[in-house]
Amino acid sequence: STEEDTGYIARSEEVSSTEPNRKIRTVHMGNATKKLSSQDLEVLKSTEEDTGVNKKRLLKEYQAFKKRYPSGFITRENFGFLAQNFLPQQQCTTAFIDRLFHAFDADNSGTIDFHEFMLAITLRSSESSDDKLRFCFRSLDLDNSGTLSKSEMLYAVQLLFQHNPGLDEQAHESVNTPQKVLEQIFKKVDADRDGQLSTEELVAFMKRDPQSFQFLGLSQIFLT
């Protein structure tokens, strides 16, 4: 559920941080609400409305977030340390974390605030395939164009092959290289033939032909 899956900051309080010379302690609730400013309360209200996370969990996350990041923002460096606690080892690369940071940083400001953080976590852990797809789409759309170019999509396909050794030998001849997979994806998904993929085209293809969506590796790229 969303409530169980959003405990990234709060759960990380229970262990030593990987950040140099930094020990994080558990945040105790107590009378924490009395210490919140009107701005804090507004952030919590808008985040609750946009994520659906309940007040108790949200307050716990917010207190932990503010304690670990007193500035109220997660920098790219901070995010790298945080991501290493939760990503599989094979995904702990600079390039992958950069793209993940980009997906969290909704306003492209170079930092992540609490609202952005919780919204991204909620989308990523959602049971809705549409939400998951849209979140992963943002991580690939580096130029914020709202569409994925062939080069942006090729990165994802190449990553798929890198994370699945032997895929080139196991896959059907029509999709046994990243370039072949890319060509098939654009042939089947790019409905308006503009050389770009939109979220709408990907969602429509996922619902129209889920078997091909999986065959082309799109389920592994966007839904895992």
Side-chain angles (χ1 to χ4, degrees):
S1 68
T2 299
E3 180 180 350
E4 293 174 348
D5 291 340
T6 54
Y8 281 79
I9 292 293
R11 279 188 293 148
S12 69
E13 303 297 282
E14 299 171 2
V15 297
S16 296
S17 171
T18 54
E19 296 177 59
N21 303 318
R22 190 173 179 91
K23 178 79 172 180
I24 305 298
R25 294 185 173 85
T26 303
V27 174
H28 298 286
M29 296 291 290
N31 295 321
T33 52
K34 295 182 179 180
K35 301 177 182 178
L36 297 177
S37 67
S38 57
Q39 183 178 2
D40 291 330
L41 293 173
E42 183 59 36
V43 169
L44 287 168
K45 180 182 177 182
S46 64
T47 305
E48 182 185 4
E49 291 173 351
D50 291 342
T51 65
V53 178
N54 71 54
K55 291 180 180 179
K56 182 177 179 181
R57 169 53 65 95
L58 205 57
L59 179 59
K60 182 177 181 180
E61 292 291 346
Y62 190 63
Q63 291 292 333
F65 188 96
K66 292 283 283 187
K67 187 173 183 68
R68 187 166 188 178
Y69 308 110
S71 67
F73 299 97
I74 299 176
T75 65
R76 169 59 184 81
E77 183 180 9
N78 296 150
F79 187 79
F81 290 121
L82 180 64
Q84 288 174 25
N85 288 326
F86 301 101
L87 288 177
Q89 187 175 1
Q90 64 183 8
Q91 292 182 348
C92 287
T93 65
T94 299
F96 187 86
I97 293 175
D98 281 346
R99 283 166 170 75
L100 192 59
F101 181 84
H102 181 77
F104 274 71
D105 182 18
D107 62 2
N108 202 32
S109 66
T111 58
I112 301 168
D113 61 25
F114 179 74
H115 183 273
E116 288 175 321
F117 181 82
M118 291 303 298
L119 185 58
I121 290 295
T122 303
L123 287 174
R124 185 66 187 86
S125 60
S126 172
E127 295 180 1
S128 164
S129 295
D130 291 21
D131 286 345
K132 287 184 177 181
L133 188 150
R134 292 178 190 282
F135 173 79
C136 291
F137 187 98
R138 274 172 28 193
S139 73
L140 296 172
D141 182 21
L142 293 183
D143 60 1
N144 297 305
S145 65
T147 59
L148 297 182
S149 65
K150 288 189 175 181
S151 62
E152 287 173 328
M153 197 64 213
L154 181 60
Y155 165 82
V157 177
Q158 289 174 331
L159 204 62
L160 180 65
F161 275 78
Q162 290 172 19
H163 290 174
N164 294 274
L167 184 59
D168 54 340
E169 298 177 358
Q170 301 166 12
H172 187 274
E173 186 179 356
S174 63
V175 288
N176 63 357
T177 70
Q179 192 60 46
K180 287 181 180 179
V181 173
L182 183 71
E183 291 172 2
Q184 288 294 320
I185 288 174
F186 273 81
K187 180 180 179 181
K188 294 180 178 295
V189 181
D190 185 16
D192 59 8
R193 297 291 183 263
D194 66 349
Q196 306 283 329
L197 301 183
S198 66
T199 53
E200 290 74 17
E201 287 174 326
L202 283 160
V203 168
F205 179 64
M206 175 178 65
K207 294 180 177 179
R208 181 176 71 250
D209 192 350
Q211 187 173 356
S212 293
F213 191 85
Q214 184 171 354
F215 177 73
L216 294 173
L218 292 171
S219 59
Q220 192 167 346
I221 291 172
F222 288 103
L223 303 181
T224 59

